Amino acid sequence: MVKPVATVDIVPNLPPILERLAELAYNMRWSWDHETIALFRRLDRDLWEQTGRNPVWMLGLIGQDALQAAAEDEAFLAHLDRVCSMYDEYMSPEARTWYRRNYGEFEKPYIAYFSMEYGLTDCLRNYSGGLGVLSGDHLKSASDLGLPLVGIGLLYEEGYFHQYLNADGYQQQSYPINDYANLPVQRVFDADGSPLVIEVPIAEFVAKVYVWKVRVGRIPLYLLDSNHGGNVEGIRDLTDRLYGGDQRTRIRQEILLGIGGMRLLEALDMSPTVCHMNEGHSVFLALERIGRMMKESPGMDFWQAKDICTAGNVYTIHTPVSAGLERFGYDLIDEHFPSMWKELGLTREEFHDLGRENMGGFDLFSLPVLALRLSGAANGVSQLHGSVSRSMWQWMFPDIPEHEIPIGAVTNGIHIQSWISGEMAGLYDRYLDPVWRDDPDLPEVWWDADRIPDAELWRTHERRRERLVAFARRKLHDQLEARGAPQSEIQFALEVLNPDALTIGFARRFATYKRATLLLRDKERFSRLVNDPDRPIQFIFAGKAHPHDHLGKELIKEIVKTAELPEFRHAIVFLENYDISVARYMVQGVDVWLNTPRRPHEASGTSGMKAIYNGGLNASILDGWWAEGYEPSLGWAIGSGEEYEQHEWDLQDFIEAQALYNMLEKDIIPCFYVRGRDGLPRDWLAHIKASMRKLSPFFNSYRMVREYTEEYYIPSRDRFNGLTRPDLSRGQAYAKWSQKVRKNWKSVAVQRVVIEPETLKVDEELTVHAWVKLGKLKPGDVSVQLYYGALDTRGQIVVGETRDMTCCSDGDQESDVHEFMTMLRYPTTGKRGFSVRVLPNHEDLPNPLLTNMIVWANM
């Protein structure tokens, strides 16, 4: 190793007429625009593949002769002009995007989206799996819709690991270095031309952090990089690996993301009103935000600033399994945050309490707890996951009925243009309204799926299956060669799989709850399925286990060993190093996407959604998104949504494996292989078209991002702006009110409830009166509600409804008791229950249930 005395950046030497190729290469819009991809492939198809579909690296490697030939090729120049024209129209400040049409103009982004990882395209390995791909799709859709959003993340020198298998089929990891000089990322510089450096306090150190920028269409994504020569070793290597290292490394990465991200936005002169935390990794941003407000407003304490800042924070929960939550011992909290809690004016215990979670005998500092306490809105990523999350976190809101726990749901979606094959997109262009590209969440756009000729739809999908088989053969050949397999095995790899056979894909993170080997429980029965000469089926597996998840690695090994058996080697393939490229081939080519999680452990899942748009069908446990997407005409459900206790898991696996075999034998295989006189599987194609019609309008990220905008971003922006603009006077008044309510809440009590009449006829009016003691509070400080609903066998209201009661007296001045009343009619007979509750009430309160202040009638 020799330390250089100087460095120089070498950039492509493009002929003047081709200079805009560099601009196109450095904007990730190319990754979801088939025309731009075709342009770069046209330069040199082989080099495009060799560089991992990386146009920046490609332009650095391509010979000057090839560039000069392109500069003199009229057809290529016409193609370049067409692509540049489309790019300029897309990027134009005057573009009438969905956001501008609905919410007007903006000067700077005011929504800051924080995520630990971003999966944008094949060549930029800054992601591990579904969370990162979702983040990437979120940014792409935000770009297409024109949202005023900026992304914040970390730039990893090694990214997530490269997976390969040893001769025994056991997963190994390597960590190739990302060469950012040849990737579509660019360093951010100060006004004086020097690299922008952000300083972030981490324990006793001050980390110096570089900043890189990725252009994602209209959206800027800024990534923090701790590989600065001024940092000590333990700080400099923080951004070496995604999810690498121990707990200390992890909490420091999260400090870097949250606190460093907020300081970066300040350096860029951006003041977001909405901060969206995609998972709890970035939650320390909320503390940084509070601290900044306290500094800008002398005299404001932590609790006042918290009440104001919370209004602008949105928290998306992704983890439905308690063991997967981010928690830290208080030793790490004490190591990293003493200066912060002093700056915030908190004691050590008060700071600990912000994230305290009792683990049954001991406490830990929980990032989800902290995020829920410092957010004005929270959501799960599917309707089922929202319900699971409300159950998981009910302990934080012990007096609130489970269905009212303040955690909503925004079901995930996928960015269609990133995942649809060019052939299928062309089919849609011919038969659907062209608006499918811009407004895919309009149901009427997909009604015309029935107009697509069956033969054309089938041939298009068959071509993609053939490409998948060819890809799998090449990849398996290379895997075996690298593994040192016998030559006969390597050669046989080029003959595995049948391009005409029913092809089922299973690819995801290899965690035990995803049950990748459920299919293999009865190998004899499984063998009969794959070796049926008249109706063969075949399986393509892919996925990584976490480096420390040895049980997950054993699952991979079992699949690989099964695939080596003579009766399976032609019909089962495991593809190494699952990434965006492998995923794209699979979702575009499989006939069925299989998913077998242990319900309700799948938060959402998005891989099966990608198959929808490519003519694939889903067969899944009713978990995650499929629990709300499934109908019998659209695909297949394994089981009926049953949930089992842990001691029953072995029985569950047996039952659901048998259900899966039965489904394959009696439903999926016959549906695929029963052909008409023209050789087309009419029933199968009917399923595909029904899936397109009913699922396509909903399970896309345009709908998802619009939902976030309408239900979370805009309301959060309006609340935060209302509290802080033109000055903090309204926010301070709200915080003062909040403190008054907290101080006096113990005095609130429902003293008496009278319901007349006690026996009620259908459509007869019921009158409810309640006398509520408010102490020093006024009727306007509270909301008194009638809570009513059907009773269960134990006489409890199961899922109640609420109705606000009206104050109808000034109260007794001495006792401060106020009378409230409301009326109600019932259209049906039955036993009903009633209660009365009191909640805080203020026009600037995001959600009264988040305060965890609630008083019930106790009679």
Side-chain angles (χ1 to χ4, degrees), residues 539-816:
F539 295 83
I540 301 177
F541 290 89
K544 297 177 177 179
H546 188 279
H548 303 309
D549 184 359
H550 299 294
L551 292 177
K553 292 181 179 181
E554 288 295 333
L555 295 178
I556 293 173
K557 180 179 176 180
E558 182 179 350
I559 290 170
V560 172
K561 288 300 183 184
T562 301
E564 291 175 352
L565 298 174
E567 64 267 35
F568 295 120
R569 62 193 305 229
H570 64 288
I572 301 179
V573 169
F574 183 89
L575 302 180
E576 294 177 8
N577 203 39
Y578 184 48
D579 61 6
I580 286 177
S581 176
V582 174
R584 190 179 293 112
Y585 272 101
M586 290 186 67
V587 298
Q588 291 175 0
V590 297
D591 299 297
V592 176
W593 194 263
L594 180 64
N595 191 24
T596 54
R598 195 182 302 283
R599 178 183 162 116
H601 292 172
E602 182 92 291
S604 172
T606 57
S607 299
M609 300 177 190
K610 294 160 188 150
I612 297 168
Y613 301 93
N614 288 288
L617 297 173
N618 280 273
S620 174
I621 297 289
L622 288 171
D623 199 7
W625 76 275
W626 193 234
E628 62 195 88
Y630 169 71
E631 290 180 19
S633 64
L634 312 180
W636 296 275
I638 305 167
S640 302
E642 298 88 354
E643 295 178 16
Y644 294 76
E645 299 295 330
Q646 185 169 352
H647 68 275
E648 301 174 307
W649 282 358
D650 191 58
L651 174 64
Q652 177 187 11
D653 291 349
F654 172 78
I655 291 172
E656 292 180 345
Q658 294 303 312
L660 177 54
Y661 294 137
N662 291 337
M663 178 189 301
L664 287 167
E665 291 171 351
K666 298 176 182 178
D667 295 326
I668 296 177
I669 295 173
C671 186
F672 183 86
Y673 281 107
V674 172
R675 307 293 170 97
R677 293 179 63 187
D678 53 5
L680 298 177
R682 297 287 181 179
D683 191 31
W684 189 272
L685 289 164
H687 277 71
I688 292 175
K689 289 183 177 181
S691 179
M692 288 177 178
R693 278 196 318 274
K694 295 183 180 181
L695 301 180
S696 297
F698 189 79
F699 293 102
N700 62 78
S701 51
Y702 280 31
R703 185 273 314 157
M704 177 187 77
V705 172
R706 283 174 172 163
E707 203 170 321
Y708 274 116
T709 303
E710 293 164 351
E711 298 184 14
Y712 291 85
Y713 296 160
I714 298 299
S716 298
R717 177 201 67 178
D718 292 346
R719 281 195 299 267
F720 186 81
N721 285 344
L723 294 172
T724 59
R725 296 181 183 179
D727 55 39
L728 283 170
S729 57
R730 180 169 172 173
Q732 289 172 323
Y734 166 66
K736 185 177 180 181
W737 169 87
S738 180
Q739 286 183 324
K740 178 189 75 171
V741 171
R742 279 197 294 265
K743 182 179 178 181
N744 293 284
W745 194 250
K746 289 183 179 179
S747 301
V748 176
V750 180
Q751 291 196 333
R752 188 160 61 100
V753 177
V754 174
I755 298 173
E756 298 174 331
E758 293 185 2
T759 301
L760 193 69
K761 295 179 181 179
V762 169
D763 280 336
E764 187 177 353
E765 198 165 66
L766 175 80
T767 303
V768 181
H769 291 265
W771 286 265
V772 180
K773 180 177 174 59
L774 295 179
K776 294 182 180 180
L777 301 181
K778 303 298 182 185
D781 294 327
V782 299
S783 172
V784 179
Q785 297 177 334
L786 175 67
Y787 187 86
Y788 60 99
L791 300 177
D792 64 11
T793 56
R794 297 184 179 182
Q796 303 290 317
I797 301 173
V798 185
V799 178
E801 299 179 68
T802 60
R803 175 169 295 201
D804 288 336
M805 302 181 71
T806 304
C807 183
C808 53
S809 75
D810 293 330
D812 183 325
Q813 293 303 310
E814 291 185 6
S815 65
D816 293 323

Side-chain angles (χ1 to χ4, degrees), residues 9 11-12 21-28 56 87 124 155 179-189 195-196 210-216 220-225:
D9 289 329
V11 298
L21 284 172
E23 181 183 359
L24 295 173
Y26 275 102
N27 191 313
M28 298 297 295
V56 173
Y87 174 83
L124 192 56
L155 185 76
D179 180 9
Y180 288 110
N182 287 311
L183 285 168
V185 299
Q186 294 174 301
R187 194 185 292 275
V188 178
F189 294 92
L196 177 63
Y210 289 125
V211 182
W212 299 75
K213 181 178 181 180
V214 181
R215 292 176 170 85
V216 187
L221 168 59
Y222 294 98
L223 302 173
L224 298 165
D225 169 19

